[in-house]
Amino acid sequence: MQIRPRRRRTSAAIREMSKETSLDLSNLIYPLFLVDGTNIKSEIASLPGNFRLSIEHLLREIDSCVKLGLHSFILFPSVEEKHKDKTATYSYSSKNFYLRAIKEIKKRFPHIILISDVAMDPYSSDGHDGLVKNGKILNDETLPILSKMALAQAEAGIDLIGPSDMMDGRIGFLRDELDDNGFHDTGIMAYTAKYASAFYGPFRDALNSAPKLGDKKSYQMDPRNSREALLEADLDFTEGADFLMVKPALHYLDVIKALKDEFPIPVAAYHVSGECAMLTAACNNGWLDFNKAMPETLYSMRRAGADVILTYFAKDYALLLQKTK
Ligand code: PBG
């Protein structure tokens, strides 16, 4: 036997030297849920260990993450029903607690990367990402609403906007709007290949944002498709996206790889709520070892080509690194 692959596995040191990928805290983005009010910290039942936080708790949470070495966060608002309407007007209202929070977070932590969500669903009385008329989700009529939302977030100081709505043409539309208003340096992390997935359940519980009628299949991608993701990526890339995202991640590793191979900008993988919840459930049952299964799960996305990973396990991974140092 001339070739013995096991020689490169004989010690921890040589395994470290031979590793093909790595996972650093700079690769991770931690999703956080914001709720209006004070002194609120309510656990999301279907996503144990994750909470809806009011601003003072949220600032404390970011502080503890920054101390661990995490520097990127994506923020989602849990909006009361009374603020929801057909056209998501609260999303760009000066009274919006989410916009106020963005300002406060960036004032306290100017060096972190803060990413927003741009879509109508948290603010829409229909629970859809776009404007609903006669049971249809209107594309072009949704774009000006999204751009008002994105502009308000840019004004509040967001670093990257995150359009998660899957309307056609929205990246170019939002890029133009940001540029026309002087926000050249506000970036776009585009939800490029976002699938109509069953794995968003816990997230919709967290925000109470499930569609009131129907599903999201007329705008989110069909889970049976992968080549179509290249078309979506081509559009987002050409329209000025700074990052291309694949969502969910674990069930779409082939799509992550395809985008990584074809496009010269970073690929983000969103390890979504349901994907995290199923691992947590197995671990809480004693069926899997969390500290081993969690990093292995994240490595799979790095191996597939994800430059950055949005995951509810970001803080757990940071804590694990600290423990094993
Ligand atoms: C909303 C949005 C969703 C997620 C992120 N932004 C849900 C949806 O499209 O219904 C899901 C994230 C997760 O499940 O962790 N536009």
Side-chain angles (χ1 to χ4, degrees):
M1 250 186 280
Q2 290 80 14
I3 298 175
R4 288 180 179 268
R6 285 188 55 190
R7 273 196 291 263
R8 280 187 306 270
R9 297 176 201 144
T10 48
S11 70
I14 202 163
R15 289 193 293 272
E16 275 299 302
M17 196 169 78
S18 315
K19 69 181 180 305
E20 296 175 30
T21 55
S22 60
L23 175 60
D24 302 325
L25 298 185
S26 59
N27 302 122
L28 296 177
I29 300 173
Y30 192 31
L32 293 170
F33 298 104
L34 175 75
V35 66
D36 200 8
T38 48
N39 207 19
I40 302 171
K41 182 172 182 185
S42 74
E43 190 164 25
I44 299 152
S46 49
L47 201 56
N50 291 269
F51 299 83
R52 299 175 201 85
L53 301 172
S54 54
I55 182 69
E56 78 283 13
H57 283 291
L58 190 97
L59 291 169
R60 230 172 286 148
E61 179 64 14
I62 294 179
D63 190 48
S64 84
C65 289
V66 167
K67 287 190 176 123
L68 285 170
L70 282 171
H71 297 290
S72 308
F73 304 87
I74 185 162
L75 190 61
F76 296 99
S78 169
V79 179
E80 286 177 79
E81 281 305 312
K82 67 173 187 214
H83 291 310
K84 300 185 182 180
D85 60 21
K86 291 283 298 176
T87 53
T89 48
Y90 187 69
S91 67
Y92 50 87
S93 149
S94 58
K95 299 198 188 87
N96 184 331
F97 68 99
Y98 181 72
L99 299 172
R100 245 187 293 129
I102 292 173
K103 262 188 221 146
E104 233 171 298
I105 294 166
K106 284 303 294 187
K107 200 168 98 197
R108 274 271 310 270
F109 306 100
H111 302 300
I112 66 165
I113 301 168
L114 192 60
I115 308 165
S116 69
D117 189 47
V118 175
M120 287 176 64
D121 58 334
Y123 309 97
S124 151
S125 45
D126 293 305
H128 273 288
D129 295 18
L131 188 63
V132 182
K133 203 168 176 191
N134 302 326
K136 281 216 163 89
I137 317 299
L138 305 182
N139 192 89
D140 300 13
E141 291 78 352
T142 297
L143 301 181
I145 299 173
L146 297 177
S147 84
K148 278 188 213 163
M149 195 183 306
L151 210 54
Q153 295 170 354
E155 274 159 7
I158 206 79
D159 297 292
L160 298 170
I161 60 160
S164 67
D165 55 286
M166 288 303 277
M167 296 301 119
D168 291 335
R170 91 273 205 217
I171 301 302
F173 197 92
L174 295 175
R175 186 67 270 163
D176 284 347
E177 190 76 9
L178 290 172
D179 289 351
D180 288 349
N181 287 279
F183 295 106
H184 304 98
D185 291 333
T186 306
I188 303 181
M189 180 174 280
Y191 286 62
T192 295
K194 178 173 179 180
Y195 286 87
S197 170
F199 289 89
Y200 307 149
F203 177 96
R204 292 179 188 169
D205 288 347
L207 300 192
N208 190 23
S209 64
K212 302 270 163 34
L213 255 187
D215 53 39
K216 299 193 173 185
K217 289 181 185 167
S218 75
Y219 46 105
Q220 299 181 343
M221 283 179 60
D222 189 319
R224 292 170 294 192
N225 297 352
S226 62
R227 288 169 59 236
E228 194 186 3
L230 294 173
L231 172 60
E232 290 285 359
D234 197 35
L235 291 168
D236 288 1
F237 175 67
T238 322
E239 292 173 28
D242 301 287
F243 294 81
L244 302 173
M245 189 200 293
V246 176
K247 177 184 171 184
L250 199 50
H251 295 80
Y252 297 85
L253 296 175
D254 57 323
V255 181
I256 296 173
K257 171 99 174 86
L259 263 51
K260 176 70 166 213
D261 288 346
E262 294 300 320
F263 294 90
I265 58 173
V267 175
Y270 199 144
H271 185 209
V272 299
S273 57
E275 294 180 319
C276 291
M278 64 185 193
L279 185 65
T280 303
C283 294
N284 289 349
N285 262 305
W287 297 339
L288 291 174
D289 179 339
F290 183 74
N291 284 339
K292 294 192 174 122
M294 181 269 288
E296 183 177 336
T297 302
L298 300 179
Y299 295 154
S300 74
M301 299 163 203
R302 292 282 291 152
R303 230 173 39 240
D307 297 285
V308 286
I309 302 170
L310 300 91
T311 178
Y312 300 93
F313 296 150
K315 192 178 183 189
D316 295 316
Y317 185 78
L319 286 166
L320 185 63
L321 274 195
Q322 198 186 46
K323 232 173 46 191
T324 48
K325 243 183 215 156

